Amino acid sequence: MKKQLLLYVFLWAISTLSIAQTITNLTTTPSGNTYTISFTIVGGVPPYSSGGVPAITGNTFSYVYPCNFAYDITISDAVGGSDQVTGASPTGCSAAINANWCNTATPVSCDAIINGTTIGETNDLSYYWFPTCLPNNSAIHTGPDRIYRLVKTDNSTLSVGMQITTPNTDLDLFLLDATCNSVLACQDIGGTNNAANNLEGVIAPDLPAGTYYIVVDSNQPNIQGNFVLDITCGDLNCSNIQPILCGVTYEGNSALYGENGSSIYLCGGNSQNVNNSGPEVIYSFTTDQSGIIDVQLSNLTSNLELFLLQDACDVESCIGQSFNIGTLNEQITTSAPAGTYYVVVDGFNAASGTFDLVVTANCTPPPAPSCPNNPLDWAWLQNLISQTNCSPTCQLTVTQYLWQGQNVVDVFFDGECFGYAPPTNPTADTYSIEEQSGAVYYTNANLDVEFVTQAMSIGVSEANNNHTVFDCEGNLLFPWGGGANDNLVQQLENPAVVWQCASTLDCPALQANIGSPCNDNNPNTTNDVTTHT
């Protein structure tokens, strides 16, 4: 009983000390364009924390702030007690930032590549808010800076990459959420030592719409140079992921299938894998047990980069990366648990091209979709066929196969079978094709135009160069023709032609089968999709 009473008294004493915690003897002392704030802490239970600013020694706090920066400091003790002080910079403190710095900002937009320089610029900003950027007095940047203003209109990831093009120049990159003449709220910083590399990057996932500032600066007054900024607003487009099998080589083309949604990946640091502004192609596979995962990219025709994501199709889920220069092969090897993984092939500095991809791991084959046996009963294929111009200039052949145990179809087209997407006012569930390349596009229920199948090789007369194989749900499995993906083509079995449209005489038959509005009298239009050359 006596021990319990002593415990209660001890706990009461701790809570009393926490409640009694106060900040006293606060002073703010100006010195040029900075001021020092100091105070002592009385009561509470040490150790004390100031959250974001340097650690507190004993019960004394001291920190140097730039002028024009208000202070807002909360001190917490070991058992949850807290006290807060706020205030403005003291009288006699010189301005630490150019009050008109917002007026010097150059407007920029999302998905822009900007050639910039700090040469000849002035020093408008010297200090950056420490909680998320620079943690101490090293935040002083006295070099000339270049400021850009970005108005963001949606909630998405903002990626900014910087390639420094002046040799032996150390520049830093800041992303600010700011209002003129008030405290700068720094979102992120790329501030590596550029003696080792010439790349910097900042990324802000799920950044709300608003006005933001991108600043290129230096912590030395005589350091200035040229740079290239790559600004990307958006996220990976995970709506067209291609499932793959382990141990099978896939031949891809990011120029045909890719879409630029992100330029930086959070693979344990964001300062080197930047400026990946090329279109991404995304693949997925699933492993049924832990073990080694090996991803190899070879036969590159341009400077492509390789990334491995775990569990989620998101740049924050990156667990591996490979970004060699030029067309050198890329490879990621890692030990990982069972789960779903995503492979992203991206392009450095807007590069795109062809490649070979193979994954070696303890993979689980993807489940085969369940659909009617007759492909003409598949809704997506009905929509595709219904948009076909049955004219002498068009040939569309749909062939059913058995591939790796599931019913698939090979879609072969040649000539002017469709119009070009998107038309001025596209309707939902509309398929169309670009006449010059033969690339098929699809407008979904949200009127978003999505890529469906590959383009023909313009000027190439080789037969069978524009085939694409889909599963029964309309998911792209692989393109082929002209030697591409021959290893997968060899697994196609039991061919049966289920639809062929090669002349105007096919229109009545098409209408009789699925009620198509196919128009024999005008071979250049079908429904509200109009041909564009």
Side-chain angles (χ1 to χ4, degrees):
M1 182 65 179
K2 184 178 295 186
K3 291 182 179 180
Q4 289 180 334
L5 180 60
L6 289 174
L7 178 60
Y8 292 148
V9 171
F10 175 73
L11 293 176
W12 172 84
I14 290 179
S15 64
T16 302
L17 288 173
S18 297
I19 295 173
Q21 174 184 331
T22 56
I23 293 173
T24 63
N25 301 326
L26 187 148
T27 62
T28 54
T29 307
S31 176
N33 59 6
T34 64
Y35 69 97
T36 301
I37 177 171
S38 302
F39 54 78
T40 57
I41 307 163
V42 177
V45 179
Y48 305 103
S49 170
S50 55
V53 294
I56 299 171
T57 302
N59 66 337
T60 302
F61 177 93
S62 181
Y63 193 78
V64 177
Y65 276 74
C67 294
N68 285 12
F69 276 51
Y71 60 86
D72 184 347
I73 304 169
T74 299
I75 300 297
S76 302
D77 71 356
V79 293
S82 65
D83 195 10
Q84 181 181 23
V85 289
T86 61
S89 57
T91 302
C93 197
S94 303
I97 60 175
N98 177 2
N100 296 315
W101 70 270
C102 285
N103 296 331
T104 69
T106 301
V108 294
S109 60
C110 290
D111 303 318
I113 302 222
I114 299 165
N115 291 284
T117 185
T118 60
I119 298 174
E121 298 294 331
T122 59
N123 179 31
D124 291 317
L125 294 173
S126 296
Y127 294 85
Y128 298 90
W129 190 235
F130 55 79
T132 56
C133 280
L134 297 171
N136 51 43
N137 296 341
S138 66
I140 302 174
H141 276 60
T142 56
D145 44 52
R146 187 65 187 272
I147 306 171
Y148 298 92
R149 180 191 301 110
L150 173 68
V151 178
K152 198 166 177 289
T153 59
D154 63 356
N155 185 344
S156 61
T157 299
L158 172 61
S159 306
V160 183
M162 179 173 68
Q163 181 181 12
I164 302 169
T165 55
T166 300
N168 303 316
T169 301
D170 190 4
L171 299 178
D172 294 332
L173 179 65
F174 296 88
L175 173 62
L176 307 177
D177 176 3
T179 303
C180 290
N181 301 320
S182 69
V183 173
L184 302 180
C186 185
Q187 293 287 338
D188 203 354
I189 175 181
T192 60
N193 182 356
N194 298 125
N197 71 82
N198 66 336
L199 302 175
E200 299 284 0
V202 296
I203 183 170
D206 301 320
L207 191 65
T211 299
Y212 299 90
Y213 292 89
I214 300 165
V215 185
V216 180
D217 207 342
S218 174
N219 58 9
Q220 299 294 327
N222 58 343
I223 298 297
Q224 51 190 331
N226 302 320
F227 55 85
V228 178
L229 288 183
D230 174 11
I231 304 172
T232 302
C233 303
D235 299 286
L236 293 175
N237 181 1
C238 303
S239 63
N240 196 26
I241 297 174
Q242 180 178 343
I244 58 175
L245 301 173
C246 289
V248 177
T249 299
Y250 290 84
E251 297 170 355
N253 189 334
S254 60
L256 297 181
Y257 302 104
E259 177 181 336
N260 182 34
S262 182
S263 60
I264 297 178
Y265 298 79
L266 294 179
C267 311
N270 66 347
S271 63
Q272 292 186 348
N273 56 44
V274 304
N275 287 26
N276 296 298
S277 53
E280 302 105 18
V281 182
I282 308 176
Y283 302 87
S284 68
F285 64 93
T286 300
T287 61
D288 54 12
Q289 56 184 298
S290 61
I292 299 297
I293 296 176
D294 182 73
V295 186
Q296 296 189 38
L297 200 66
S298 60
N299 293 328
L300 282 67
T301 57
S302 60
N303 190 0
L304 303 179
E305 319 291 16
L306 184 64
F307 302 94
L308 180 63
L309 317 180
Q310 182 179 10
D311 294 334
C313 179
D314 188 285
V315 297
E316 296 182 85
S317 302
C318 181
I319 62 170
Q321 60 185 344
S322 177
F323 43 93
N324 295 321
I325 62 173
T327 57
L328 293 177
N329 292 348
E330 308 286 356
Q331 182 176 9
I332 299 171
T333 303
T334 185
S335 179
T340 299
Y341 295 86
Y342 301 88
V343 176
V344 183
V345 180
D346 208 336
F348 183 72
N349 278 349
S352 62
T354 59
F355 55 86
D356 290 347
L357 173 71
V358 61
V359 174
T360 303
N362 297 316
C363 286
T364 301
S370 177
C371 301
N373 290 328
N374 185 357
L376 292 181
D377 292 331
W378 301 347
W380 72 270
L381 186 57
Q382 291 179 355
N383 287 334
L384 177 60
I385 292 174
S386 70
Q387 296 297 326
T388 304
N389 276 330
C390 305
S391 70
T393 63
C394 164
Q395 177 183 350
L396 172 69
T397 303
V398 180
T399 305
Q400 181 179 14
Y401 287 94
L402 184 66
W403 185 76
Q404 297 183 354
Q406 62 175 307
N407 283 325
V408 301
V409 291
D410 168 59
V411 177
F412 171 80
F413 54 87
D414 190 12
E416 299 178 1
C417 300
F418 305 82
Y420 174 73
T424 304
N425 296 301
T427 59
D429 302 321
T430 299
Y431 283 82
S432 57
I433 190 172
E434 183 180 24
E435 287 187 10
Q436 287 188 324
S437 71
V440 177
Y441 295 85
Y442 167 65
T443 306
N444 64 20
N446 296 322
L447 301 186
D448 297 323
V449 175
E450 300 174 351
F451 181 78
V452 174
T453 187
Q454 72 167 1
M456 294 181 287
S457 301
I458 302 175
V460 177
S461 59
E462 182 178 1
N464 300 336
N465 67 341
N466 51 336
H467 289 261
T468 311
V469 177
F470 299 91
D471 67 16
C472 66
E473 293 179 341
N475 298 310
L476 185 151
L477 297 175
F478 59 89
W480 66 278
N485 286 320
D486 277 352
N487 58 323
L488 302 180
V489 175
Q490 292 173 4
Q491 302 177 38
L492 295 172
E493 302 176 302
N494 304 334
V497 175
V498 296
W499 180 258
Q500 188 170 38
C501 172
S503 72
T504 58
L505 300 178
D506 287 337
C507 261
L510 181 61
Q511 290 172 327
N513 273 272
I514 57 176
S516 168
C518 180
N519 185 353
D520 279 336
N521 297 321
N522 185 354
N524 294 321
T525 61
T526 174
N527 285 1
D528 53 4
V529 178
T530 305
T531 297
H532 294 261
T533 56

